[in-house]
Amino acid sequence: MMVFETAGISSLQDLGRRGLQNQGIGVCGAMDSLAVRVANNLLGNADNTSLIEITLGGVRLRIEQTQWFAITGADLQAEADAIAVDLCRPIRLEAGTMLHFKHPRQGCRAYLAVQGGFNAEPILGSVATDIRSGIGGFEGHAFQRGDRIAYAASRYPGKTVRWHTAWANPSFPEAGPLPFVPGSHWSWLDKNRQEQFCSTEWRISRNSDRMGLRLEQALHPESAWPSLLSSGVAFGSIQLPPDGHPIILAADRQTTGGYPLLGTVASIAHSRLAQCRPGDHLSFEPVSAAEAVRQWRRRELHYRQWRQHMAQWWHP
């Protein structure tokens, strides 16, 4: 059992509700899916095991049952009984421990996984919190002070851990432009505005959330664009609304959108998007769909090799 002494902005998540967008049901799920997978595999869990997403810190948790945990994603200066906690490795917390996520040193969203996952009833195949619809998660809402959530008892009391992984580790940040695959309306921009989009250091607006990241600067087409029928959208879709301020859609996005689609951020860079805070800067670099797939496959190959190693560590 775990008790929220303070909850901040935290919610129960997994990898989301897949395959239901054609019925108008959003995917939701964790913003940083790679950090989720890494946190779970550090503990021998399946990729899609439920965990807690913590945004920007300000969370205090009282551990009431000894168990193995892992923290990945952002560095929110986590402490256990006022002692700094190592990220990206299994950590054993004893009953009575107070786990505190303070303020972000790097990144935006941290993920707290527990061995065996947190107890929650899936809805439409997922425990992901969909706050707008009031489904999933902890009784359909984000965590609040005083909430108590259960998890399984520890099965591995005797292991010693003296290592950590570079996967989803804020100590190894990625840099450079975000690769994006130009979309169906990219050609509507003239060459000068295409160059402007790619050369601008875009700033993340304060009006950003789990639905989408809004950018402060504007990009105005040479002439007005025609109205469009709505079409499907994905995590990383870059829309250009009439006010000229691009929006990058994220986990809690709607299932369709009617704004022109400039492109979609390649999945290899989704973790970087998820860890952006208001005020951060980013830029874009166009890549082909084939190159985006090649980069993803290369990362997945390395990740799956590491995952096999972790499975053998827990189950030799």
Side-chain angles (χ1 to χ4, degrees), residues 230-264:
S230 294
S231 58
V233 292
F235 193 114
S237 291
I238 307 169
Q239 295 183 319
L240 188 64
D243 66 4
H245 296 276
I247 302 170
I248 310 171
L249 298 182
D252 286 355
R253 65 193 178 277
Q254 69 277 17
T255 58
T256 62
Y259 294 143
L261 182 65
L262 300 185
T264 301

PDB file of all heavy atoms in Angstrom, residues 230-264:
ATOM      1  N   SER A 230     -11.941  16.988 -40.976  1.00  0.00           N
ATOM      2  CA  SER A 230     -11.117  16.423 -39.907  1.00  0.00           C
ATOM      3  C   SER A 230     -10.506  15.105 -40.360  1.00  0.00           C
ATOM      4  O   SER A 230     -11.102  14.355 -41.146  1.00  0.00           O
ATOM      5  CB  SER A 230     -11.957  16.198 -38.651  1.00  0.00           C
ATOM      6  OG  SER A 230     -12.383  17.424 -38.110  1.00  0.00           O
ATOM      7  N   SER A 231      -9.312  14.826 -39.861  1.00  0.00           N
ATOM      8  CA  SER A 231      -8.628  13.568 -40.167  1.00  0.00           C
ATOM      9  C   SER A 231      -7.936  13.061 -38.911  1.00  0.00           C
ATOM     10  O   SER A 231      -7.805  13.791 -37.918  1.00  0.00           O
ATOM     11  CB  SER A 231      -7.605  13.764 -41.292  1.00  0.00           C
ATOM     12  OG  SER A 231      -6.656  14.757 -40.931  1.00  0.00           O
ATOM     13  N   GLY A 232      -7.493  11.818 -38.942  1.00  0.00           N
ATOM     14  CA  GLY A 232      -6.855  11.226 -37.774  1.00  0.00           C
ATOM     15  C   GLY A 232      -5.543  11.909 -37.424  1.00  0.00           C
ATOM     16  O   GLY A 232      -4.840  12.421 -38.301  1.00  0.00           O
ATOM     17  N   VAL A 233      -5.230  11.920 -36.128  1.00  0.00           N
ATOM     18  CA  VAL A 233      -3.985  12.511 -35.642  1.00  0.00           C
ATOM     19  C   VAL A 233      -3.278  11.520 -34.727  1.00  0.00           C
ATOM     20  O   VAL A 233      -3.869  10.547 -34.256  1.00  0.00           O
ATOM     21  CB  VAL A 233      -4.241  13.836 -34.896  1.00  0.00           C
ATOM     22  CG1 VAL A 233      -4.722  14.913 -35.855  1.00  0.00           C
ATOM     23  CG2 VAL A 233      -5.243  13.639 -33.763  1.00  0.00           C
ATOM     24  N   ALA A 234      -1.997  11.789 -34.462  1.00  0.00           N
ATOM     25  CA  ALA A 234      -1.170  10.885 -33.664  1.00  0.00           C
ATOM     26  C   ALA A 234      -0.336  11.698 -32.682  1.00  0.00           C
ATOM     27  O   ALA A 234      -0.269  12.932 -32.755  1.00  0.00           O
ATOM     28  CB  ALA A 234      -0.261  10.067 -34.577  1.00  0.00           C
ATOM     29  N   PHE A 235       0.292  10.996 -31.761  1.00  0.00           N
ATOM     30  CA  PHE A 235       1.258  11.646 -30.865  1.00  0.00           C
ATOM     31  C   PHE A 235       2.352  12.264 -31.748  1.00  0.00           C
ATOM     32  O   PHE A 235       2.946  11.605 -32.580  1.00  0.00           O
ATOM     33  CB  PHE A 235       1.868  10.610 -29.920  1.00  0.00           C
ATOM     34  CG  PHE A 235       2.632  11.205 -28.762  1.00  0.00           C
ATOM     35  CD1 PHE A 235       2.179  11.036 -27.460  1.00  0.00           C
ATOM     36  CD2 PHE A 235       3.791  11.920 -28.957  1.00  0.00           C
ATOM     37  CE1 PHE A 235       2.875  11.574 -26.385  1.00  0.00           C
ATOM     38  CE2 PHE A 235       4.500  12.476 -27.902  1.00  0.00           C
ATOM     39  CZ  PHE A 235       4.038  12.295 -26.600  1.00  0.00           C
ATOM     40  N   GLY A 236       2.598  13.546 -31.545  1.00  0.00           N
ATOM     41  CA  GLY A 236       3.626  14.228 -32.324  1.00  0.00           C
ATOM     42  C   GLY A 236       3.115  14.939 -33.554  1.00  0.00           C
ATOM     43  O   GLY A 236       3.901  15.627 -34.233  1.00  0.00           O
ATOM     44  N   SER A 237       1.816  14.819 -33.870  1.00  0.00           N
ATOM     45  CA  SER A 237       1.267  15.556 -35.018  1.00  0.00           C
ATOM     46  C   SER A 237       1.439  17.058 -34.792  1.00  0.00           C
ATOM     47  O   SER A 237       1.130  17.573 -33.715  1.00  0.00           O
ATOM     48  CB  SER A 237      -0.210  15.232 -35.209  1.00  0.00           C
ATOM     49  OG  SER A 237      -0.392  13.906 -35.643  1.00  0.00           O
ATOM     50  N   ILE A 238       1.916  17.759 -35.810  1.00  0.00           N
ATOM     51  CA  ILE A 238       2.152  19.204 -35.718  1.00  0.00           C
ATOM     52  C   ILE A 238       1.062  19.913 -36.503  1.00  0.00           C
ATOM     53  O   ILE A 238       1.030  19.860 -37.734  1.00  0.00           O
ATOM     54  CB  ILE A 238       3.539  19.583 -36.277  1.00  0.00           C
ATOM     55  CG1 ILE A 238       4.640  18.737 -35.623  1.00  0.00           C
ATOM     56  CG2 ILE A 238       3.805  21.071 -36.059  1.00  0.00           C
ATOM     57  CD1 ILE A 238       5.994  18.870 -36.301  1.00  0.00           C
ATOM     58  N   GLN A 239       0.155  20.561 -35.784  1.00  0.00           N
ATOM     59  CA  GLN A 239      -0.947  21.275 -36.412  1.00  0.00           C
ATOM     60  C   GLN A 239      -0.642  22.766 -36.483  1.00  0.00           C
ATOM     61  O   GLN A 239       0.058  23.310 -35.629  1.00  0.00           O
ATOM     62  CB  GLN A 239      -2.228  21.070 -35.619  1.00  0.00           C
ATOM     63  CG  GLN A 239      -2.751  19.643 -35.591  1.00  0.00           C
ATOM     64  CD  GLN A 239      -4.073  19.551 -34.843  1.00  0.00           C
ATOM     65  OE1 GLN A 239      -4.259  20.175 -33.813  1.00  0.00           O
ATOM     66  NE2 GLN A 239      -4.998  18.776 -35.395  1.00  0.00           N
ATOM     67  N   LEU A 240      -1.202  23.418 -37.500  1.00  0.00           N
ATOM     68  CA  LEU A 240      -1.059  24.867 -37.629  1.00  0.00           C
ATOM     69  C   LEU A 240      -2.450  25.500 -37.623  1.00  0.00           C
ATOM     70  O   LEU A 240      -3.130  25.547 -38.647  1.00  0.00           O
ATOM     71  CB  LEU A 240      -0.317  25.235 -38.911  1.00  0.00           C
ATOM     72  CG  LEU A 240       0.050  26.727 -39.045  1.00  0.00           C
ATOM     73  CD1 LEU A 240       1.037  27.123 -37.940  1.00  0.00           C
ATOM     74  CD2 LEU A 240       0.643  27.026 -40.416  1.00  0.00           C
ATOM     75  N   PRO A 241      -2.924  25.989 -36.460  1.00  0.00           N
ATOM     76  CA  PRO A 241      -4.250  26.617 -36.370  1.00  0.00           C
ATOM     77  C   PRO A 241      -4.244  28.009 -37.006  1.00  0.00           C
ATOM     78  O   PRO A 241      -3.178  28.532 -37.364  1.00  0.00           O
ATOM     79  CB  PRO A 241      -4.494  26.678 -34.860  1.00  0.00           C
ATOM     80  CG  PRO A 241      -3.138  26.695 -34.255  1.00  0.00           C
ATOM     81  CD  PRO A 241      -2.246  25.902 -35.163  1.00  0.00           C
ATOM     82  N   PRO A 242      -5.402  28.633 -37.133  1.00  0.00           N
ATOM     83  CA  PRO A 242      -5.481  29.937 -37.795  1.00  0.00           C
ATOM     84  C   PRO A 242      -4.634  31.034 -37.161  1.00  0.00           C
ATOM     85  O   PRO A 242      -4.216  31.969 -37.854  1.00  0.00           O
ATOM     86  CB  PRO A 242      -6.980  30.276 -37.697  1.00  0.00           C
ATOM     87  CG  PRO A 242      -7.662  28.950 -37.629  1.00  0.00           C
ATOM     88  CD  PRO A 242      -6.737  28.081 -36.831  1.00  0.00           C
ATOM     89  N   ASP A 243      -4.363  30.954 -35.844  1.00  0.00           N
ATOM     90  CA  ASP A 243      -3.563  32.017 -35.216  1.00  0.00           C
ATOM     91  C   ASP A 243      -2.077  31.885 -35.516  1.00  0.00           C
ATOM     92  O   ASP A 243      -1.287  32.749 -35.123  1.00  0.00           O
ATOM     93  CB  ASP A 243      -3.807  32.055 -33.707  1.00  0.00           C
ATOM     94  CG  ASP A 243      -3.321  30.808 -32.976  1.00  0.00           C
ATOM     95  OD1 ASP A 243      -2.713  29.919 -33.623  1.00  0.00           O
ATOM     96  OD2 ASP A 243      -3.549  30.710 -31.754  1.00  0.00           O
ATOM     97  N   GLY A 244      -1.673  30.801 -36.207  1.00  0.00           N
ATOM     98  CA  GLY A 244      -0.288  30.650 -36.623  1.00  0.00           C
ATOM     99  C   GLY A 244       0.642  30.047 -35.587  1.00  0.00           C
ATOM    100  O   GLY A 244       1.820  29.831 -35.873  1.00  0.00           O
ATOM    101  N   HIS A 245       0.137  29.732 -34.370  1.00  0.00           N
ATOM    102  CA  HIS A 245       0.981  29.150 -33.327  1.00  0.00           C
ATOM    103  C   HIS A 245       0.869  27.626 -33.393  1.00  0.00           C
ATOM    104  O   HIS A 245      -0.182  27.062 -33.040  1.00  0.00           O
ATOM    105  CB  HIS A 245       0.546  29.649 -31.945  1.00  0.00           C
ATOM    106  CG  HIS A 245       0.720  31.129 -31.767  1.00  0.00           C
ATOM    107  ND1 HIS A 245       1.922  31.699 -31.393  1.00  0.00           N
ATOM    108  CD2 HIS A 245      -0.159  32.157 -31.928  1.00  0.00           C
ATOM    109  CE1 HIS A 245       1.777  33.007 -31.324  1.00  0.00           C
ATOM    110  NE2 HIS A 245       0.530  33.314 -31.647  1.00  0.00           N
ATOM    111  N   PRO A 246       1.919  26.936 -33.827  1.00  0.00           N
ATOM    112  CA  PRO A 246       1.831  25.480 -33.986  1.00  0.00           C
ATOM    113  C   PRO A 246       1.516  24.763 -32.671  1.00  0.00           C
ATOM    114  O   PRO A 246       1.877  25.224 -31.587  1.00  0.00           O
ATOM    115  CB  PRO A 246       3.224  25.093 -34.496  1.00  0.00           C
ATOM    116  CG  PRO A 246       3.767  26.342 -35.107  1.00  0.00           C
ATOM    117  CD  PRO A 246       3.222  27.464 -34.266  1.00  0.00           C
ATOM    118  N   ILE A 247       0.831  23.646 -32.790  1.00  0.00           N
ATOM    119  CA  ILE A 247       0.502  22.775 -31.664  1.00  0.00           C
ATOM    120  C   ILE A 247       1.027  21.385 -31.976  1.00  0.00           C
ATOM    121  O   ILE A 247       0.750  20.842 -33.048  1.00  0.00           O
ATOM    122  CB  ILE A 247      -1.017  22.690 -31.433  1.00  0.00           C
ATOM    123  CG1 ILE A 247      -1.615  24.074 -31.181  1.00  0.00           C
ATOM    124  CG2 ILE A 247      -1.335  21.762 -30.261  1.00  0.00           C
ATOM    125  CD1 ILE A 247      -3.130  24.090 -31.189  1.00  0.00           C
ATOM    126  N   ILE A 248       1.797  20.810 -31.026  1.00  0.00           N
ATOM    127  CA  ILE A 248       2.276  19.430 -31.172  1.00  0.00           C
ATOM    128  C   ILE A 248       1.403  18.564 -30.279  1.00  0.00           C
ATOM    129  O   ILE A 248       1.429  18.697 -29.055  1.00  0.00           O
ATOM    130  CB  ILE A 248       3.754  19.303 -30.759  1.00  0.00           C
ATOM    131  CG1 ILE A 248       4.605  20.368 -31.442  1.00  0.00           C
ATOM    132  CG2 ILE A 248       4.280  17.912 -31.106  1.00  0.00           C
ATOM    133  CD1 ILE A 248       6.024  20.439 -30.925  1.00  0.00           C
ATOM    134  N   LEU A 249       0.622  17.687 -30.877  1.00  0.00           N
ATOM    135  CA  LEU A 249      -0.325  16.889 -30.112  1.00  0.00           C
ATOM    136  C   LEU A 249       0.395  15.831 -29.278  1.00  0.00           C
ATOM    137  O   LEU A 249       1.432  15.309 -29.677  1.00  0.00           O
ATOM    138  CB  LEU A 249      -1.338  16.231 -31.050  1.00  0.00           C
ATOM    139  CG  LEU A 249      -2.209  17.214 -31.846  1.00  0.00           C
ATOM    140  CD1 LEU A 249      -3.212  16.454 -32.697  1.00  0.00           C
ATOM    141  CD2 LEU A 249      -2.923  18.200 -30.924  1.00  0.00           C
ATOM    142  N   ALA A 250      -0.181  15.519 -28.114  1.00  0.00           N
ATOM    143  CA  ALA A 250       0.465  14.617 -27.161  1.00  0.00           C
ATOM    144  C   ALA A 250      -0.512  13.533 -26.706  1.00  0.00           C
ATOM    145  O   ALA A 250      -1.473  13.206 -27.402  1.00  0.00           O
ATOM    146  CB  ALA A 250       1.007  15.423 -25.985  1.00  0.00           C
ATOM    147  N   ALA A 251      -0.283  12.973 -25.528  1.00  0.00           N
ATOM    148  CA  ALA A 251      -0.972  11.748 -25.102  1.00  0.00           C
ATOM    149  C   ALA A 251      -2.486  11.909 -25.001  1.00  0.00           C
ATOM    150  O   ALA A 251      -3.244  11.021 -25.387  1.00  0.00           O
ATOM    151  CB  ALA A 251      -0.404  11.277 -23.768  1.00  0.00           C
ATOM    152  N   ASP A 252      -2.967  13.028 -24.457  1.00  0.00           N
ATOM    153  CA  ASP A 252      -4.403  13.223 -24.255  1.00  0.00           C
ATOM    154  C   ASP A 252      -5.064  13.922 -25.441  1.00  0.00           C
ATOM    155  O   ASP A 252      -6.135  14.521 -25.301  1.00  0.00           O
ATOM    156  CB  ASP A 252      -4.654  14.030 -22.980  1.00  0.00           C
ATOM    157  CG  ASP A 252      -4.430  13.206 -21.716  1.00  0.00           C
ATOM    158  OD1 ASP A 252      -4.181  12.002 -21.833  1.00  0.00           O
ATOM    159  OD2 ASP A 252      -4.502  13.789 -20.603  1.00  0.00           O
ATOM    160  N   ARG A 253      -4.460  13.832 -26.603  1.00  0.00           N
ATOM    161  CA  ARG A 253      -4.991  14.474 -27.806  1.00  0.00           C
ATOM    162  C   ARG A 253      -6.381  13.936 -28.161  1.00  0.00           C
ATOM    163  O   ARG A 253      -6.768  12.847 -27.747  1.00  0.00           O
ATOM    164  CB  ARG A 253      -4.053  14.208 -28.993  1.00  0.00           C
ATOM    165  CG  ARG A 253      -3.995  12.727 -29.346  1.00  0.00           C
ATOM    166  CD  ARG A 253      -2.858  12.401 -30.287  1.00  0.00           C
ATOM    167  NE  ARG A 253      -2.813  10.962 -30.559  1.00  0.00           N
ATOM    168  CZ  ARG A 253      -2.229  10.071 -29.758  1.00  0.00           C
ATOM    169  NH1 ARG A 253      -1.645  10.472 -28.652  1.00  0.00           N
ATOM    170  NH2 ARG A 253      -2.221   8.785 -30.081  1.00  0.00           N
ATOM    171  N   GLN A 254      -7.102  14.706 -28.944  1.00  0.00           N
ATOM    172  CA  GLN A 254      -8.354  14.245 -29.518  1.00  0.00           C
ATOM    173  C   GLN A 254      -8.058  13.174 -30.579  1.00  0.00           C
ATOM    174  O   GLN A 254      -6.909  12.986 -30.967  1.00  0.00           O
ATOM    175  CB  GLN A 254      -9.113  15.415 -30.151  1.00  0.00           C
ATOM    176  CG  GLN A 254      -8.457  15.988 -31.407  1.00  0.00           C
ATOM    177  CD  GLN A 254      -7.345  16.994 -31.127  1.00  0.00           C
ATOM    178  OE1 GLN A 254      -6.818  17.080 -30.026  1.00  0.00           O
ATOM    179  NE2 GLN A 254      -6.996  17.765 -32.151  1.00  0.00           N
ATOM    180  N   THR A 255      -9.066  12.484 -31.047  1.00  0.00           N
ATOM    181  CA  THR A 255      -8.836  11.403 -32.019  1.00  0.00           C
ATOM    182  C   THR A 255      -8.728  11.912 -33.443  1.00  0.00           C
ATOM    183  O   THR A 255      -8.138  11.246 -34.300  1.00  0.00           O
ATOM    184  CB  THR A 255      -9.961  10.359 -31.945  1.00  0.00           C
ATOM    185  OG1 THR A 255     -11.218  11.008 -32.186  1.00  0.00           O
ATOM    186  CG2 THR A 255      -9.998   9.705 -30.567  1.00  0.00           C
ATOM    187  N   THR A 256      -9.314  13.075 -33.733  1.00  0.00           N
ATOM    188  CA  THR A 256      -9.210  13.681 -35.063  1.00  0.00           C
ATOM    189  C   THR A 256      -8.919  15.160 -34.911  1.00  0.00           C
ATOM    190  O   THR A 256      -9.155  15.755 -33.857  1.00  0.00           O
ATOM    191  CB  THR A 256     -10.505  13.501 -35.884  1.00  0.00           C
ATOM    192  OG1 THR A 256     -11.583  14.162 -35.210  1.00  0.00           O
ATOM    193  CG2 THR A 256     -10.841  12.029 -36.076  1.00  0.00           C
ATOM    194  N   GLY A 257      -8.434  15.775 -35.991  1.00  0.00           N
ATOM    195  CA  GLY A 257      -8.161  17.202 -35.976  1.00  0.00           C
ATOM    196  C   GLY A 257      -8.464  17.814 -37.338  1.00  0.00           C
ATOM    197  O   GLY A 257      -8.303  17.159 -38.367  1.00  0.00           O
ATOM    198  N   GLY A 258      -8.885  19.091 -37.314  1.00  0.00           N
ATOM    199  CA  GLY A 258      -9.249  19.761 -38.558  1.00  0.00           C
ATOM    200  C   GLY A 258      -8.295  20.851 -38.994  1.00  0.00           C
ATOM    201  O   GLY A 258      -8.541  21.515 -39.994  1.00  0.00           O
ATOM    202  N   TYR A 259      -7.193  21.043 -38.253  1.00  0.00           N
ATOM    203  CA  TYR A 259      -6.193  22.029 -38.650  1.00  0.00           C
ATOM    204  C   TYR A 259      -5.219  21.413 -39.654  1.00  0.00           C
ATOM    205  O   TYR A 259      -5.003  20.189 -39.655  1.00  0.00           O
ATOM    206  CB  TYR A 259      -5.399  22.521 -37.439  1.00  0.00           C
ATOM    207  CG  TYR A 259      -6.198  23.296 -36.425  1.00  0.00           C
ATOM    208  CD1 TYR A 259      -5.930  23.156 -35.061  1.00  0.00           C
ATOM    209  CD2 TYR A 259      -7.198  24.176 -36.806  1.00  0.00           C
ATOM    210  CE1 TYR A 259      -6.641  23.868 -34.110  1.00  0.00           C
ATOM    211  CE2 TYR A 259      -7.929  24.886 -35.866  1.00  0.00           C
ATOM    212  CZ  TYR A 259      -7.644  24.734 -34.520  1.00  0.00           C
ATOM    213  OH  TYR A 259      -8.362  25.432 -33.578  1.00  0.00           O
ATOM    214  N   PRO A 260      -4.591  22.234 -40.492  1.00  0.00           N
ATOM    215  CA  PRO A 260      -3.565  21.706 -41.405  1.00  0.00           C
ATOM    216  C   PRO A 260      -2.461  20.985 -40.637  1.00  0.00           C
ATOM    217  O   PRO A 260      -2.033  21.428 -39.565  1.00  0.00           O
ATOM    218  CB  PRO A 260      -3.042  22.963 -42.095  1.00  0.00           C
ATOM    219  CG  PRO A 260      -4.191  23.923 -42.039  1.00  0.00           C
ATOM    220  CD  PRO A 260      -4.858  23.670 -40.720  1.00  0.00           C
ATOM    221  N   LEU A 261      -2.008  19.875 -41.202  1.00  0.00           N
ATOM    222  CA  LEU A 261      -0.997  19.040 -40.566  1.00  0.00           C
ATOM    223  C   LEU A 261       0.345  19.252 -41.265  1.00  0.00           C
ATOM    224  O   LEU A 261       0.535  18.848 -42.421  1.00  0.00           O
ATOM    225  CB  LEU A 261      -1.412  17.568 -40.651  1.00  0.00           C
ATOM    226  CG  LEU A 261      -0.484  16.550 -40.002  1.00  0.00           C
ATOM    227  CD1 LEU A 261      -0.437  16.755 -38.488  1.00  0.00           C
ATOM    228  CD2 LEU A 261      -0.920  15.133 -40.344  1.00  0.00           C
ATOM    229  N   LEU A 262       1.271  19.913 -40.551  1.00  0.00           N
ATOM    230  CA  LEU A 262       2.591  20.169 -41.135  1.00  0.00           C
ATOM    231  C   LEU A 262       3.461  18.926 -41.147  1.00  0.00           C
ATOM    232  O   LEU A 262       4.339  18.780 -41.998  1.00  0.00           O
ATOM    233  CB  LEU A 262       3.301  21.284 -40.364  1.00  0.00           C
ATOM    234  CG  LEU A 262       2.602  22.649 -40.338  1.00  0.00           C
ATOM    235  CD1 LEU A 262       3.486  23.666 -39.637  1.00  0.00           C
ATOM    236  CD2 LEU A 262       2.252  23.107 -41.742  1.00  0.00           C
ATOM    237  N   GLY A 263       3.246  18.034 -40.206  1.00  0.00           N
ATOM    238  CA  GLY A 263       4.052  16.821 -40.132  1.00  0.00           C
ATOM    239  C   GLY A 263       3.840  16.139 -38.795  1.00  0.00           C
ATOM    240  O   GLY A 263       2.991  16.544 -37.997  1.00  0.00           O
ATOM    241  N   THR A 264       4.640  15.126 -38.551  1.00  0.00           N
ATOM    242  CA  THR A 264       4.563  14.368 -37.296  1.00  0.00           C
ATOM    243  C   THR A 264       5.974  14.114 -36.779  1.00  0.00           C
ATOM    244  O   THR A 264       6.837  13.635 -37.528  1.00  0.00           O
ATOM    245  CB  THR A 264       3.842  13.027 -37.508  1.00  0.00           C
ATOM    246  OG1 THR A 264       2.523  13.275 -38.007  1.00  0.00           O
ATOM    247  CG2 THR A 264       3.752  12.254 -36.201  1.00  0.00           C
TER     248      THR A 264
END
